[in-house]
Amino acid sequence: ATVNPATGETLKTFDALNAGELEDRLVLAERAFQEHRTTSFAHRAELLHKAAELLEADQESIARTMTTEMGKPLAAARAEAAKCVKAMRWYATRAEELLADEAPDPADVRDSGAARALVRYRPLGTVLAVMPWNFPLWQVVRFAAPALMAGNTGLLKHASNVPQTALYLEELFRRAGFPRGCFQTLLIGSGAVEDVLRDPRIAAATLTGSEPAGRSVAAIAGDEVKKTVLELGGSDPYLVLPSADLDKAAATGVRARVQNNGQSCIAAKRFIVHTDVYDAFAERFTAGMAALTVGDPMDEGTDVGPLASEQGRSDLEELVDDAVHRGARAMCGGRRPPRHPAGWFYEPTVLTGVTPGMRIHHEEAFGPVATLYRVADLDEAVAVANDSPFGLSSNAWTRDAAEQERLVRDLQAGGVFFNGMTASHPGLPFGGAKRSGYGRELSGHGIREFCNITTVWYGPQD
């Protein structure tokens, strides 16, 4: 169902697929794969460029759909659509090069008896994608663009609160000319995922979402011996050290915390600040958070819209209330905004005095809530940063080259970003460590995840 999080109003409902309809889609996906896998890179690129062209033309309408379904500010929704267009064009242009045959040095394989050998990347088959609501277009496109260019087909099980965005994606690839069944949306509940994943026509799965969902999909896929890529939660550290430009670090930190209404896995969440600059940074950062405009996400002047669901807001409130009850202090926010009694709004919040005994120290805060930590030196900063079950990305503000090298070596995360905001980009691998998941999306690493990396060996020709 589409439920407007700014009002709580149910706008449109959809029927789930029945067993027969689901079977028809699985048959269609397998049939489409047998056709699509034999097509040329040039043909696939032509189709993906067409999809990018169509999405670019649809930018305003799909942005409004996303904002209506999950509450992100309209400007952010437009930017998400534009980012998807960029990624489609990037893979359409580069896939053939990224998946080109690789020839080892003849000297390295001569003792195998080979006259020559090569490595070829071949598609696996139909990939099941279980995707979340927070970036309802981007999360799908960053899987679909490389998967389709590699010759795979896709089945999308999207989050149940973004059905219109999910159906738009199927229609987009159909309009672009991809074979019927090449990319399909499955309107099914989470309880139906296991049967789909166990179906022999499904070759692999990718999931972006919560740790429990990732554990479930990984366990089922492991039992079936199927490849998975998981991008799960994040509680990214944001380190500020004495050489930082504090004005830029604070301003960027505000954007990094409240992007997508604070509902981003790679949003900065734990702000770890050296004691020498803590007071100055905390003043700037708290003032920036307090100055944000909370309101209707369709309003161009809104900085922070509602949480995507009532349950999501309740979960965030529980984390904040637990911390305050145990001694943390809310420097700003910490409540539902009284000006917006309808909808699932929550004020941008800064908590200080957070300790390991508080839930928010170890759990992901999925909303506009930041925690501030004062540390004595770089060693303590690294220790606090790594004191998390998650390891998606990280961010550090320092102009000291030695500190930068130390952080690259020691931070337990899939990315380390210096003096700028963490972001995903088509040309850079994206993924995490620890309980943030495994595997990589985007770049050449991402397109190869769902390929059969095939050794081709040629003996001497008599």
Side-chain angles (χ1 to χ4, degrees):
T2 296
V3 182
N4 187 341
T7 64
E9 180 187 2
T10 299
L11 302 177
K12 196 170 185 179
T13 60
F14 298 81
D15 293 329
L17 296 177
N18 61 39
E21 291 168 329
L22 182 55
E23 172 61 20
D24 289 344
R25 287 176 175 265
L26 287 165
V27 169
L28 199 56
E30 174 62 19
R31 187 179 302 151
F33 172 65
Q34 295 307 326
E35 175 186 351
H36 186 58
R37 70 183 181 85
T38 64
T39 58
S40 67
F41 283 109
H43 179 67
R44 297 172 201 165
E46 181 182 352
L47 299 181
L48 193 58
H49 275 303
K50 180 61 176 178
E53 178 185 324
L54 292 169
L55 177 54
E56 193 168 47
D58 293 344
Q59 181 185 28
E60 185 65 22
S61 61
I62 189 58
R64 289 184 174 276
T65 298
M66 288 190 285
T67 294
T68 298
E69 291 201 305
M70 58 72 56
K72 69 172 75 244
L74 186 56
R78 293 190 189 108
E80 181 173 340
K83 187 173 185 176
C84 292
V85 170
K86 179 179 179 179
M88 286 177 172
R89 289 175 173 155
W90 193 90
Y91 273 110
T93 302
R94 292 173 173 80
E96 184 171 10
E97 176 187 354
L98 294 171
L99 298 180
D101 289 350
E102 298 173 4
D105 188 325
D108 289 338
V109 297
R110 190 173 296 126
D111 62 356
S112 75
R116 65 188 181 96
L118 58 87
V119 175
R120 178 162 296 172
Y121 295 94
R122 297 188 292 161
L124 284 181
T126 297
V127 181
L128 173 65
V130 182
M131 293 289 114
W133 46 261
N134 57 334
F135 292 94
L137 208 65
W138 170 242
Q139 303 279 13
V140 179
V141 166
R142 75 184 192 192
F143 137 74
L148 291 171
M149 282 304 301
N152 295 299
T153 52
L155 288 174
L156 169 64
K157 188 278 183 242
H158 217 324
S160 60
N161 59 331
V162 290
Q164 293 188 66
T165 305
L167 292 169
Y168 168 81
L169 283 156
E170 177 179 326
E171 180 69 6
L172 174 69
F173 290 114
R174 187 198 63 77
R175 289 162 57 206
F178 281 92
R180 183 168 177 260
C182 210
F183 184 94
Q184 300 176 82
T185 287
L186 306 180
L187 292 185
I188 57 175
S190 57
V193 169
E194 179 171 356
D195 285 346
V196 176
L197 184 51
R198 291 191 183 277
D199 191 285
R201 290 164 292 191
I202 299 298
T206 179
L207 177 142
T208 298
S210 68
E211 184 185 342
R215 287 178 181 274
S216 176
V217 165
I220 297 163
D223 191 48
E224 295 290 336
V225 196
K226 294 181 180 180
K227 174 73 179 288
T228 53
V229 170
L230 304 180
E231 192 264 278
L232 308 179
S235 190
D236 288 5
Y238 189 99
L239 283 65
V240 182
L241 298 169
S243 65
D245 180 323
L246 294 184
D247 288 333
K248 289 183 178 179
T252 303
V254 171
R255 295 199 312 274
R257 176 62 284 231
V258 301
Q259 60 175 307
N260 207 45
N261 302 339
Q263 300 164 121
S264 170
C265 296
I266 56 168
K269 298 183 176 80
R270 298 177 296 132
F271 292 77
I272 301 164
V273 187
H274 192 287
T275 187
D276 290 352
V277 293
Y278 178 89
D279 291 334
F281 176 83
E283 180 181 2
R284 290 167 170 80
F285 179 69
T286 302
M289 291 284 282
L292 294 169
T293 299
V294 178
D296 183 349
M298 290 291 187
D299 187 331
E300 300 288 357
T302 290
D303 298 310
V304 180
L307 278 293
S309 69
E310 188 172 19
Q311 184 61 54
R313 182 177 65 178
S314 295
D315 292 343
L316 190 67
E317 285 178 318
E318 287 179 10
L319 288 180
V320 173
D321 291 348
D322 171 78
V324 171
H325 176 73
R326 296 175 185 274
R329 179 184 175 194
M331 303 299 291
C332 66
R335 62 175 185 168
R336 303 178 183 186
R339 290 183 58 197
H340 301 284
W344 303 313
F345 294 90
Y346 196 78
E347 291 183 342
T349 300
V350 178
L351 295 178
T352 60
V354 174
T355 63
M358 300 172 186
R359 287 177 54 198
I360 202 168
H361 181 76
H362 294 291
E363 297 181 32
E364 180 179 20
F366 218 56
V369 175
T371 53
L372 270 177
Y373 295 82
R374 183 194 294 265
V375 294
D377 52 32
L378 184 60
D379 288 340
E380 188 179 3
V382 171
V384 174
N386 289 339
D387 187 23
S388 170
F390 300 109
L392 190 52
S393 192
S394 60
N395 193 288
W397 286 75
T398 172
R399 290 178 277 198
D400 185 306
E403 289 180 342
Q404 290 175 351
E405 285 302 310
R406 165 78 188 281
L407 293 171
V408 171
R409 185 192 73 185
D410 289 349
L411 287 177
Q412 298 167 357
V416 185
F417 285 67
F418 291 107
N419 303 320
M421 195 169 90
T422 299
S424 54
H425 183 279
L428 297 172
F430 181 84
K434 301 195 288 188
R435 293 187 181 179
S436 289
Y438 52 74
R440 290 296 180 266
E441 297 177 287
L442 302 176
S443 77
H445 296 278
I447 197 171
R448 297 184 192 111
E449 286 282 7
F450 295 116
C451 287
N452 176 356
I453 304 173
T454 307
T455 296
V456 183
W457 186 97
Y458 296 92
Q461 301 297 313
D462 294 329

